[in-house]
Amino acid sequence: MGSAPATVGEIRRAQRADGPAAVLGIGTANPPTCIAQDDYPDYYFRVTNGEHLTDLKAKLTRICKKSGIRQRYMHLNEDLLAAHPDFTDRKSPSLDARVDIASAAVPELAASAAAKAIADWGRPATEITHLIFSTYSGARAPSGDRRLASLLGLSPTVSRTMLNLHGCYGGGRSLQLAKELAENNRGARVLVACSEITLIAFYGPEGGCPDNILGQALFGDGSGAVIIGADPVSNVERPLFEMAFASQTTIPGTEDDISMEINKGGMEYHISNKVPRLLGCNVERCLIDAFDALGVRAKWNDLFWAIHPGGRAILDHIEEVLGLDDGKLAASRHVLSEFGNMSGTTVIFVLDELRRRRVVKKEGEALPEWGVMMAFGPGITIETLVLHAPDSLDGN
Ligand SMILES: CCCCCCCCCCCCCCCCCC(=O)SCCNC(=O)CCNC(=O)[C@H](O)C(C)(C)COP(=O)(O)OP(=O)(O)OC[C@H]1O[C@@H](n2cnc3c(N)ncnc32)[C@H](O)[C@@H]1OP(=O)(O)O
């Protein structure tokens, strides 16, 4: 009659996955309005009635030219701005209106990306067990994760986690949490969705606000979604990138170098001009620690790279300190060029671009098996993920 009760250790082993978490599907989406970077200074100063601020316009033009960006997408268009002229005034109490728009638009954009990730994964949305949703536009509860779950028809038992205001490291943090969930819950399938629209932080030009001019030159809107799970079901699921190791590092004394704050006029942010150098000085230590933990001595040029393209100078500094060959950061530079910095969402676009590049590899070309994803944001926080690309991805 019955079997002896299992020990806690046995229960725990049965609950955990056997293998590592892996990326099983990726999808991305952007709003329809696309603005060429060369046209952005004229567009921005016209729609914000700032044409008389010629020095600021000249500065924005200089930064745009050096940004490495060709075009960006944005939810906020001229019609929406005409309906909300106070959005150009940083001091007007426009937070409620911005949150109203973002509360609908952010999960809808996420749903477009997630639908593509689910189709790429190949199983029904109802088989998703966990949802991690990251945005800097969520300032309301129930929040975007709840709305996204209902737009996708996820199960009412889906376990939801909301990450707010992680800025550009939101994608990295979400993927690391998804890895933990997938490896510690046998059979778990985690949907990660990052969705950012800059409307919450859009202002007109104003003297003495260099951060605003920098932001106007760099940021764009987009959403990225990823399905993460361990022990892929054969003939149904295909691991795109296995997640071998994850870590988070905070650079001491840099609390004030990147910051974001919600106030009555929307979101204010500060990005110091030291950021590219600070990251350049700290990324190699994070990489050495990560590969030491795996017992591997890696040569940086033997890896594939998915670096958050926070700005062209960040990629330049990292390329220089690591001695990377030309083209090693091509996926990051391509995403920066075609979409700008979409905060936490951007690394998901880079992973998707890397996957595309592997699939169309040239005949006889040897591709790195191991690689790294890194994302950065307020803190200053560095997220590091060591990835392994199984052969199945390589266009065979
Ligand atoms: C269609 C889209 C709509 C957009 C809507 C916008 C709404 C914004 C929304 C924002 C959301 C904010 C979320 C915050 C999350 C943070 C997370 C991150 O990614 S962390 C972000 C990580 N990203 C970064 O940290 C950006 C990294 N930086 C770079 O990539 C480059 O420095 C560069 C491309 C900006 C300029 O190229 P470079 O070769 O350096 O060229 P030069 O040396 O010749 O300088 C040219 C001009 O740039 C100036 N300037 C430079 N830095 C800053 C600054 N921090 N500050 C101010 N100004 C700055 C410099 O003073 C000079 O001015 P001037 O003398 O001509 O008057």
Side-chain angles (χ1 to χ4, degrees), residues 294-373:
L294 293 173
V296 173
R297 272 184 73 96
K299 290 192 184 137
W300 305 144
N301 273 309
D302 291 347
L303 304 175
F304 62 83
W305 292 88
I307 300 282
H308 166 59
R312 194 219 73 241
I314 292 177
L315 296 179
D316 291 351
H317 270 71
I318 292 178
E319 198 170 76
E320 191 184 329
V321 295
L322 299 179
L324 295 178
D325 295 341
D326 275 359
K328 275 284 161 188
L329 300 186
S332 298
R333 289 193 192 277
H334 175 79
V335 169
L336 180 66
S337 162
E338 300 308 300
F339 303 96
N341 177 349
M342 298 168 288
S343 286
T345 300
T346 326
V347 280
I348 296 177
F349 278 67
V350 178
L351 278 185
D352 199 27
E353 180 60 24
L354 267 179
R355 176 260 287 266
R356 222 182 329 271
R357 285 168 187 245
R358 290 186 85 85
V359 170
V360 298
K361 74 164 183 172
K362 297 184 196 83
E363 183 78 24
E365 188 184 358
L367 294 175
E369 206 181 316
W370 290 90
V372 174
M373 193 215 79

Coordinates of all heavy atoms in Angstrom, one line a residue, residues 294-373:
L294 N 33.1 29.1 -15.3 CA 32.8 27.9 -16.1 C 34.1 27.0 -16.3 O 34.1 26.0 -17.0 CB 32.4 28.4 -17.5 CG 31.0 29.0 -17.6 CD1 30.7 29.6 -19.0 CD2 29.9 28.0 -17.2
G295 N 35.2 27.5 -15.8 CA 36.5 26.8 -15.9 C 37.0 26.9 -17.3 O 37.7 25.9 -17.8
V296 N 36.7 27.9 -18.1 CA 37.1 28.0 -19.5 C 38.0 29.3 -19.7 O 37.7 30.3 -19.1 CB 35.8 28.2 -20.4 CG1 36.2 28.5 -21.8 CG2 35.0 27.0 -20.3
R297 N 39.1 29.1 -20.4 CA 39.9 30.3 -20.8 C 39.5 30.7 -22.2 O 39.8 30.1 -23.1 CB 41.4 30.0 -20.7 CG 42.0 30.2 -19.4 CD 43.5 29.9 -19.5 NE 44.2 31.0 -20.2 CZ 44.7 32.0 -19.6 NH1 44.8 32.1 -18.3 NH2 45.3 32.9 -20.2
A298 N 38.7 31.8 -22.3 CA 38.1 32.1 -23.6 C 39.0 33.2 -24.2 O 39.6 34.0 -23.6 CB 36.7 32.7 -23.4
K299 N 39.1 33.1 -25.6 CA 39.8 34.2 -26.3 C 38.6 35.0 -26.9 O 37.7 34.4 -27.6 CB 40.6 33.6 -27.5 CG 41.8 32.9 -27.0 CD 42.7 32.6 -28.3 CE 43.9 31.8 -27.8 NZ 44.3 30.8 -28.8
W300 N 38.6 36.3 -26.6 CA 37.5 37.1 -27.0 C 37.1 37.1 -28.5 O 35.9 37.1 -28.8 CB 37.7 38.6 -26.5 CG 38.0 38.8 -25.1 CD1 38.9 39.7 -24.6 CD2 37.5 38.1 -23.9 NE1 39.0 39.6 -23.2 CE2 38.2 38.6 -22.8 CE3 36.7 37.0 -23.7 CZ2 37.9 38.2 -21.5 CZ3 36.4 36.5 -22.4 CH2 37.1 37.1 -21.3
N301 N 38.1 36.9 -29.3 CA 37.8 36.9 -30.7 C 37.2 35.6 -31.2 O 36.8 35.4 -32.4 CB 39.0 37.3 -31.6 CG 39.1 38.8 -31.7 OD1 38.1 39.4 -32.1 ND2 40.2 39.4 -31.4
D302 N 37.3 34.6 -30.3 CA 36.7 33.2 -30.7 C 35.2 33.1 -30.3 O 34.6 32.1 -30.5 CB 37.5 32.1 -30.0 CG 38.9 32.0 -30.5 OD1 39.1 32.6 -31.6 OD2 39.7 31.3 -29.9
L303 N 34.7 34.2 -29.8 CA 33.3 34.2 -29.3 C 32.4 34.9 -30.3 O 32.8 35.8 -31.1 CB 33.1 34.9 -27.9 CG 34.0 34.3 -26.8 CD1 33.9 35.2 -25.6 CD2 33.7 32.8 -26.5
F304 N 31.0 34.7 -30.2 CA 30.1 35.6 -30.8 C 29.6 36.6 -29.8 O 29.6 36.3 -28.6 CB 28.9 34.8 -31.5 CG 28.0 34.0 -30.6 CD1 27.0 34.5 -29.9 CD2 28.3 32.6 -30.5 CE1 26.2 33.8 -29.1 CE2 27.5 31.8 -29.7 CZ 26.4 32.4 -29.0
W305 N 29.1 37.7 -30.2 CA 28.8 38.8 -29.3 C 27.5 39.4 -29.5 O 27.1 39.8 -30.6 CB 29.9 39.9 -29.5 CG 31.2 39.5 -29.0 CD1 32.2 38.8 -29.7 CD2 31.8 39.6 -27.7 NE1 33.3 38.5 -28.9 CE2 33.1 39.0 -27.7 CE3 31.3 40.2 -26.5 CZ2 33.9 38.9 -26.5 CZ3 32.1 40.1 -25.4 CH2 33.4 39.5 -25.4
A306 N 26.7 39.6 -28.4 CA 25.4 40.3 -28.4 C 25.5 41.4 -27.3 O 25.1 41.2 -26.2 CB 24.3 39.3 -28.1
I307 N 26.1 42.5 -27.7 CA 26.3 43.6 -26.7 C 25.2 44.6 -26.9 O 24.8 45.0 -28.0 CB 27.7 44.3 -27.0 CG1 28.8 43.4 -26.8 CG2 27.8 45.6 -26.1 CD1 29.3 43.1 -25.4
H308 N 24.6 45.1 -25.7 CA 23.6 46.2 -25.8 C 24.2 47.4 -26.5 O 25.1 48.0 -25.9 CB 23.1 46.5 -24.4 CG 22.3 47.8 -24.4 ND1 21.1 47.9 -25.1 CD2 22.5 48.9 -23.7 CE1 20.6 49.1 -24.9 NE2 21.4 49.8 -24.1
P309 N 23.6 47.8 -27.6 CA 24.2 49.0 -28.3 C 23.6 50.3 -27.7 O 22.8 51.0 -28.4 CB 23.8 48.8 -29.8 CG 22.6 48.0 -29.7 CD 22.6 47.2 -28.4
G310 N 24.1 50.6 -26.5 CA 23.5 51.8 -25.8 C 23.9 53.1 -26.5 O 23.2 54.1 -26.4
G311 N 25.0 53.1 -27.3 CA 25.4 54.2 -28.0 C 26.7 53.8 -28.8 O 27.3 52.8 -28.4
R312 N 27.0 54.5 -29.9 CA 28.1 54.0 -30.8 C 29.4 54.0 -30.0 O 30.2 53.1 -30.1 CB 28.2 55.0 -32.0 CG 29.1 54.5 -33.1 CD 29.9 55.6 -33.7 NE 31.0 56.1 -32.8 CZ 31.1 57.3 -32.3 NH1 30.2 58.2 -32.5 NH2 32.1 57.6 -31.5
A313 N 29.6 55.0 -29.1 CA 30.8 55.1 -28.3 C 31.0 54.0 -27.4 O 32.1 53.6 -27.1 CB 30.9 56.5 -27.6
I314 N 29.9 53.4 -26.9 CA 30.0 52.3 -26.0 C 30.5 51.1 -26.7 O 31.4 50.4 -26.3 CB 28.6 52.0 -25.4 CG1 28.2 53.1 -24.4 CG2 28.6 50.6 -24.7 CD1 26.8 53.0 -23.8
L315 N 30.0 50.8 -27.9 CA 30.5 49.7 -28.7 C 32.0 49.9 -29.1 O 32.8 49.0 -29.0 CB 29.6 49.5 -30.0 CG 28.2 49.2 -29.7 CD1 27.4 49.0 -31.0 CD2 28.0 47.9 -28.9
D316 N 32.3 51.2 -29.4 CA 33.7 51.5 -29.8 C 34.7 51.2 -28.6 O 35.7 50.5 -28.8 CB 33.9 52.9 -30.2 CG 33.2 53.3 -31.5 OD1 32.8 52.4 -32.2 OD2 33.1 54.5 -31.8
H317 N 34.3 51.6 -27.4 CA 35.1 51.4 -26.2 C 35.3 49.9 -25.9 O 36.4 49.4 -25.6 CB 34.5 52.1 -25.0 CG 35.0 53.5 -24.8 ND1 34.6 54.5 -25.7 CD2 35.9 54.0 -23.9 CE1 35.2 55.6 -25.3 NE2 36.0 55.4 -24.2
I318 N 34.2 49.2 -26.0 CA 34.2 47.7 -25.7 C 35.1 47.0 -26.7 O 35.9 46.2 -26.4 CB 32.8 47.2 -25.5 CG1 32.1 47.8 -24.3 CG2 32.8 45.6 -25.5 CD1 30.7 47.3 -24.1
E319 N 34.9 47.4 -28.0 CA 35.7 46.7 -29.0 C 37.2 47.0 -28.8 O 38.0 46.1 -28.9 CB 35.2 47.4 -30.4 CG 35.6 46.6 -31.6 CD 34.9 47.3 -32.8 OE1 35.4 48.3 -33.2 OE2 33.9 46.7 -33.3
E320 N 37.5 48.2 -28.4 CA 38.9 48.6 -28.2 C 39.5 47.8 -27.0 O 40.6 47.2 -27.1 CB 39.0 50.1 -28.0 CG 40.4 50.5 -28.0 CD 40.5 52.0 -27.7 OE1 39.6 52.8 -28.1 OE2 41.6 52.4 -27.2
V321 N 38.8 47.9 -25.8 CA 39.4 47.2 -24.6 C 39.6 45.7 -24.8 O 40.5 45.1 -24.2 CB 38.7 47.6 -23.3 CG1 38.8 49.0 -23.0 CG2 37.3 47.1 -23.3
L322 N 38.6 45.1 -25.5 CA 38.7 43.7 -25.7 C 39.6 43.2 -26.9 O 39.8 42.1 -27.1 CB 37.3 43.1 -25.8 CG 36.4 43.3 -24.6 CD1 35.0 42.7 -24.8 CD2 37.0 42.7 -23.3
G323 N 40.0 44.2 -27.7 CA 40.8 43.9 -28.9 C 40.0 43.1 -29.9 O 40.5 42.2 -30.5
L324 N 38.7 43.4 -30.0 CA 37.9 42.6 -30.9 C 38.1 43.0 -32.4 O 38.3 44.2 -32.7 CB 36.4 42.9 -30.6 CG 35.9 42.4 -29.2 CD1 34.4 42.7 -29.0 CD2 36.1 40.9 -29.1
D325 N 38.1 42.0 -33.2 CA 38.3 42.2 -34.7 C 37.1 42.9 -35.2 O 35.9 42.9 -34.7 CB 38.4 40.9 -35.4 CG 39.6 40.1 -35.0 OD1 40.5 40.7 -34.5 OD2 39.6 38.9 -35.2
D326 N 37.3 43.6 -36.4 CA 36.2 44.3 -37.1 C 35.1 43.3 -37.3 O 35.4 42.1 -37.7 CB 36.7 44.8 -38.4 CG 37.3 46.1 -38.3 OD1 37.4 46.7 -37.2 OD2 37.8 46.6 -39.4
G327 N 33.9 43.7 -37.2 CA 32.8 42.8 -37.5 C 32.3 42.0 -36.3 O 31.2 41.4 -36.4
K328 N 33.1 41.9 -35.2 CA 32.6 41.1 -34.1 C 31.3 41.6 -33.4 O 30.5 40.9 -32.9 CB 33.7 41.0 -33.0 CG 34.7 39.9 -33.3 CD 34.1 38.5 -33.0 CE 34.8 37.4 -33.6 NZ 34.1 36.1 -33.4
L329 N 31.2 43.0 -33.5 CA 30.0 43.6 -32.9 C 29.0 44.0 -34.0 O 28.2 44.9 -33.8 CB 30.4 44.8 -32.1 CG 31.3 44.5 -30.9 CD1 31.5 45.8 -30.1 CD2 30.8 43.4 -30.0
A330 N 29.1 43.3 -35.2 CA 28.2 43.7 -36.3 C 26.7 43.6 -36.0 O 26.0 44.4 -36.4 CB 28.6 42.8 -37.5
A331 N 26.3 42.6 -35.2 CA 24.9 42.4 -35.0 C 24.4 43.6 -34.1 O 23.4 44.2 -34.4 CB 24.6 41.1 -34.3
S332 N 25.3 44.0 -33.1 CA 24.9 45.2 -32.3 C 24.9 46.4 -33.1 O 24.0 47.3 -32.9 CB 25.9 45.3 -31.1 OG 25.9 44.2 -30.3
R333 N 25.9 46.6 -33.9 CA 25.9 47.9 -34.7 C 24.8 47.9 -35.7 O 24.2 49.0 -36.0 CB 27.3 48.0 -35.5 CG 28.4 48.2 -34.5 CD 29.7 48.6 -35.3 NE 30.9 48.6 -34.5 CZ 31.2 49.6 -33.6 NH1 30.5 50.7 -33.6 NH2 32.3 49.5 -32.9
H334 N 24.4 46.7 -36.3 CA 23.3 46.7 -37.2 C 22.0 47.1 -36.5 O 21.2 48.0 -37.0 CB 23.1 45.3 -37.8 CG 21.9 45.2 -38.7 ND1 21.9 45.6 -40.0 CD2 20.7 44.7 -38.4 CE1 20.7 45.4 -40.5 NE2 19.9 44.9 -39.6
V335 N 21.7 46.6 -35.3 CA 20.5 46.9 -34.6 C 20.5 48.4 -34.2 O 19.5 49.1 -34.3 CB 20.3 46.0 -33.3 CG1 19.2 46.5 -32.4 CG2 20.0 44.6 -33.8
L336 N 21.6 48.9 -33.7 CA 21.7 50.3 -33.4 C 21.4 51.2 -34.6 O 20.6 52.1 -34.5 CB 23.2 50.7 -32.9 CG 23.4 52.1 -32.5 CD1 22.6 52.5 -31.3 CD2 24.9 52.4 -32.2
S337 N 21.9 50.8 -35.8 CA 21.7 51.5 -37.0 C 20.2 51.5 -37.4 O 19.7 52.6 -37.8 CB 22.6 50.9 -38.1 OG 22.1 51.4 -39.4
E338 N 19.6 50.4 -37.3 CA 18.2 50.3 -37.9 C 17.1 50.6 -36.9 O 16.0 50.8 -37.3 CB 18.0 48.8 -38.4 CG 19.0 48.5 -39.5 CD 19.0 49.5 -40.7 OE1 18.0 49.8 -41.3 OE2 20.1 50.2 -40.9
F339 N 17.4 50.6 -35.6 CA 16.4 50.8 -34.6 C 16.7 51.8 -33.5 O 15.9 52.3 -32.8 CB 16.0 49.5 -33.9 CG 15.6 48.4 -34.9 CD1 16.5 47.5 -35.4 CD2 14.3 48.4 -35.4 CE1 16.1 46.5 -36.3 CE2 13.9 47.4 -36.3 CZ 14.8 46.5 -36.7
G340 N 18.0 52.2 -33.4 CA 18.4 53.0 -32.2 C 18.5 52.2 -31.0 O 18.4 51.0 -31.0
N341 N 18.6 52.9 -29.8 CA 18.7 52.3 -28.5 C 17.3 52.2 -28.0 O 16.6 53.2 -27.6 CB 19.6 53.2 -27.6 CG 19.6 52.6 -26.2 OD1 18.9 51.7 -25.8 ND2 20.5 53.2 -25.4
M342 N 16.8 50.9 -28.0 CA 15.4 50.7 -27.5 C 15.4 50.2 -26.0 O 14.6 49.4 -25.6 CB 14.7 49.7 -28.4 CG 14.5 50.2 -29.8 SD 14.0 48.8 -30.9 CE 15.5 47.8 -31.0
S343 N 16.4 50.7 -25.3 CA 16.5 50.3 -23.9 C 16.6 48.8 -23.7 O 17.2 48.1 -24.5 CB 15.4 50.9 -23.0 OG 15.7 52.3 -22.9
G344 N 15.9 48.3 -22.7 CA 16.0 46.8 -22.4 C 15.7 45.9 -23.5 O 16.1 44.8 -23.6
T345 N 14.9 46.4 -24.4 CA 14.4 45.5 -25.6 C 15.6 45.2 -26.5 O 15.5 44.2 -27.2 CB 13.3 46.3 -26.3 OG1 12.3 46.6 -25.4 CG2 12.8 45.6 -27.5
T346 N 16.6 46.1 -26.6 CA 17.5 46.1 -27.7 C 18.3 44.8 -27.8 O 18.6 44.3 -28.9 CB 18.5 47.3 -27.5 OG1 17.8 48.4 -27.0 CG2 19.1 47.7 -28.9
V347 N 18.7 44.2 -26.6 CA 19.5 43.0 -26.7 C 18.7 41.8 -27.3 O 19.3 40.9 -27.9 CB 20.1 42.5 -25.3 CG1 21.3 43.3 -25.0 CG2 19.1 42.4 -24.2
I348 N 17.4 41.9 -27.2 CA 16.6 40.8 -27.8 C 16.7 40.9 -29.4 O 16.8 40.0 -30.1 CB 15.1 40.8 -27.3 CG1 15.2 40.5 -25.8 CG2 14.3 39.8 -28.1 CD1 13.8 40.6 -25.1
F349 N 16.6 42.2 -29.8 CA 16.8 42.4 -31.3 C 18.2 41.9 -31.7 O 18.4 41.4 -32.8 CB 16.7 43.9 -31.6 CG 15.3 44.4 -31.8 CD1 14.4 44.4 -30.7 CD2 14.8 44.8 -33.0 CE1 13.1 44.9 -30.8 CE2 13.5 45.3 -33.1 CZ 12.6 45.3 -32.0
V350 N 19.2 42.1 -30.9 CA 20.6 41.7 -31.2 C 20.7 40.2 -31.3 O 21.2 39.6 -32.2 CB 21.6 42.3 -30.2 CG1 23.0 41.8 -30.6 CG2 21.6 43.8 -30.2
L351 N 20.0 39.5 -30.3 CA 20.0 38.0 -30.4 C 19.3 37.5 -31.6 O 19.8 36.6 -32.3 CB 19.2 37.5 -29.2 CG 19.9 37.4 -27.8 CD1 19.0 36.7 -26.8 CD2 21.2 36.6 -27.9
D352 N 18.2 38.2 -32.0 CA 17.5 37.8 -33.2 C 18.4 38.0 -34.4 O 18.4 37.2 -35.4 CB 16.2 38.6 -33.3 CG 15.2 38.0 -34.2 OD1 15.2 36.8 -34.4 OD2 14.4 38.8 -34.8
E353 N 19.1 39.1 -34.5 CA 20.0 39.4 -35.6 C 21.1 38.4 -35.7 O 21.5 37.9 -36.7 CB 20.5 40.9 -35.4 CG 21.5 41.3 -36.5 CD 20.8 41.3 -37.9 OE1 19.6 41.4 -38.0 OE2 21.6 41.2 -38.9
L354 N 21.7 38.0 -34.5 CA 22.8 37.0 -34.5 C 22.3 35.7 -35.0 O 22.9 35.0 -35.8 CB 23.2 36.8 -33.0 CG 24.4 37.6 -32.5 CD1 24.6 37.2 -31.0 CD2 25.6 37.3 -33.3
R355 N 21.0 35.3 -34.6 CA 20.4 34.1 -35.1 C 20.3 34.1 -36.6 O 20.7 33.2 -37.3 CB 19.1 33.9 -34.4 CG 18.3 32.7 -34.8 CD 17.2 33.0 -35.8 NE 16.1 33.7 -35.2 CZ 15.0 33.1 -34.8 NH1 14.9 31.8 -34.9 NH2 14.0 33.8 -34.3
R356 N 19.8 35.3 -37.1 CA 19.6 35.4 -38.6 C 21.0 35.2 -39.3 O 21.1 34.6 -40.3 CB 19.1 36.8 -38.9 CG 18.0 36.8 -39.9 CD 17.4 38.1 -40.3 NE 17.4 39.1 -39.2 CZ 16.4 39.3 -38.4 NH1 15.3 38.5 -38.4 NH2 16.5 40.2 -37.5
R357 N 22.0 35.9 -38.7 CA 23.3 35.8 -39.3 C 23.9 34.4 -39.3 O 24.6 34.0 -40.2 CB 24.3 36.8 -38.7 CG 24.0 38.2 -39.0 CD 24.7 39.3 -38.2 NE 24.2 40.6 -38.6 CZ 25.0 41.5 -39.2 NH1 26.2 41.3 -39.4 NH2 24.4 42.7 -39.5
R358 N 23.6 33.6 -38.3 CA 24.1 32.3 -38.2 C 23.4 31.4 -39.3 O 24.0 30.6 -39.9 CB 23.9 31.6 -36.9 CG 24.7 32.2 -35.8 CD 24.6 31.5 -34.5 NE 25.4 30.3 -34.4 CZ 26.7 30.3 -34.0 NH1 27.2 31.5 -33.6 NH2 27.4 29.2 -33.9
V359 N 22.1 31.6 -39.5 CA 21.3 30.8 -40.4 C 21.8 31.0 -41.8 O 21.9 30.1 -42.6 CB 19.8 31.1 -40.3 CG1 19.0 30.5 -41.4 CG2 19.3 30.7 -38.9
V360 N 22.2 32.3 -42.2 CA 22.6 32.5 -43.5 C 24.2 32.5 -43.7 O 24.7 33.1 -44.6 CB 22.1 33.9 -44.1 CG1 20.6 33.9 -44.1 CG2 22.6 35.0 -43.2
K361 N 24.8 31.8 -42.8 CA 26.3 31.7 -42.9 C 26.8 31.2 -44.2 O 26.1 30.4 -44.9 CB 26.9 30.8 -41.7 CG 26.7 29.4 -42.0 CD 27.6 28.5 -41.1 CE 27.4 27.1 -41.5 NZ 28.3 26.2 -40.8
K362 N 28.0 31.7 -44.6 CA 28.5 31.3 -45.9 C 29.0 29.8 -45.9 O 29.4 29.3 -44.8 CB 29.7 32.2 -46.3 CG 29.3 33.6 -46.4 CD 30.4 34.5 -46.9 CE 30.1 36.0 -46.7 NZ 30.4 36.4 -45.3
E363 N 29.0 29.2 -47.0 CA 29.5 27.8 -47.2 C 30.9 27.7 -46.6 O 31.8 28.5 -46.9 CB 29.5 27.5 -48.7 CG 29.9 26.1 -49.1 CD 28.8 25.2 -49.0 OE1 27.6 25.6 -49.0 OE2 29.1 24.0 -48.8
G364 N 31.1 26.7 -45.7 CA 32.4 26.4 -45.1 C 32.8 27.3 -44.0 O 33.9 27.2 -43.4
E365 N 32.0 28.4 -43.7 CA 32.3 29.3 -42.7 C 32.2 28.7 -41.3 O 31.2 28.1 -41.0 CB 31.4 30.5 -42.8 CG 31.8 31.7 -41.9 CD 30.7 32.8 -42.0 OE1 29.8 32.7 -42.8 OE2 30.9 33.8 -41.3
A366 N 33.3 28.8 -40.5 CA 33.2 28.3 -39.1 C 32.7 29.4 -38.2 O 33.2 30.5 -38.1 CB 34.6 27.8 -38.7
L367 N 31.6 29.1 -37.5 CA 31.0 30.1 -36.6 C 31.3 29.7 -35.1 O 31.4 28.6 -34.8 CB 29.5 30.1 -36.7 CG 29.0 30.5 -38.1 CD1 27.5 30.3 -38.2 CD2 29.3 32.0 -38.4
P368 N 31.5 30.8 -34.3 CA 31.8 30.5 -32.9 C 30.7 29.7 -32.2 O 29.5 30.0 -32.5 CB 31.9 31.9 -32.3 CG 32.1 32.8 -33.4 CD 31.5 32.2 -34.6
E369 N 31.1 28.8 -31.4 CA 30.1 28.0 -30.7 C 29.6 28.7 -29.4 O 28.5 28.6 -29.0 CB 30.8 26.7 -30.3 CG 30.0 25.5 -30.1 CD 30.9 24.3 -29.7 OE1 32.0 24.1 -30.3 OE2 30.5 23.6 -28.8
W370 N 30.5 29.4 -28.8 CA 30.3 30.1 -27.6 C 30.2 31.6 -27.8 O 30.9 32.2 -28.7 CB 31.4 29.8 -26.5 CG 31.4 28.4 -26.1 CD1 32.0 27.3 -26.6 CD2 30.6 27.9 -25.0 NE1 31.7 26.2 -26.0 CE2 30.8 26.5 -24.9 CE3 29.8 28.4 -24.0 CZ2 30.3 25.6 -24.0 CZ3 29.2 27.6 -23.1 CH2 29.4 26.2 -23.0
G371 N 29.4 32.3 -26.9 CA 29.3 33.7 -27.1 C 28.8 34.4 -25.8 O 28.6 33.7 -24.8
V372 N 28.6 35.7 -25.9 CA 28.3 36.5 -24.7 C 27.2 37.5 -25.0 O 27.3 38.1 -26.1 CB 29.5 37.2 -24.2 CG1 29.2 38.2 -23.1 CG2 30.6 36.3 -23.8
M373 N 26.3 37.6 -24.1 CA 25.3 38.7 -24.2 C 25.6 39.6 -23.0 O 25.7 39.1 -21.9 CB 23.9 38.2 -24.1 CG 22.8 39.2 -24.5 SD 21.4 38.9 -23.5 CE 21.9 39.7 -22.0

